[in-house]
Amino acid sequence: SAQYLGLYDIAFDFPETHVVNKGEQFFYGIYADLWSKENSIELRGLKPGVVYTVYDYANNRKLGEINGNDPQIKIGFRDNLLLKVTPKK
């Protein structure tokens, strides 16, 4: 079963981010009218030392890999970004 992780404060953290954990996978819903790729987004909840594959499941594209030690990504988007983050096998 999936579990909502309250890792972001909707009043203070920007962009608005929600994360659900299901098994080893994390699903992030990130929302902003317009987000510049110059600004990083922290993917909270990932385990240090683990390398993850980041996948934009709404647009069917792999975005690369991220390490739980420094879970920052830089990507621009409009309205929303829906990510599936899975440990690399």
Side-chain angles (χ1 to χ4, degrees), residues 7 26 28 43-48 50 52 66-69 71 85:
L7 300 175
F26 293 84
Y28 292 84
L43 300 182
R44 297 179 186 166
L46 301 180
K47 294 178 182 170
V50 178
Y52 295 86
I66 192 170
N67 191 306
N69 290 337
V85 180

Side-chain angles (χ1 to χ4, degrees), residues 10-68:
I10 294 174
F12 298 105
D13 291 324
F14 197 73
E16 178 183 335
T17 305
H18 301 271
V19 61
V20 172
N21 173 238
K22 184 172 183 178
E24 293 185 315
Q25 297 180 330
F26 293 84
F27 294 87
Y28 292 84
I30 305 168
Y31 305 91
D33 291 336
L34 184 62
W35 188 260
S36 168
K37 66 181 177 183
E38 301 303 316
N39 300 314
S40 43
I41 301 169
E42 180 183 9
L43 300 182
R44 297 179 186 166
L46 301 180
K47 294 178 182 170
V50 178
V51 175
Y52 295 86
T53 300
V54 181
Y55 185 75
D56 173 355
Y57 64 88
N59 295 299
N60 196 27
R61 62 184 176 150
K62 183 178 176 181
L63 299 179
E65 295 177 353
I66 192 170
N67 191 306

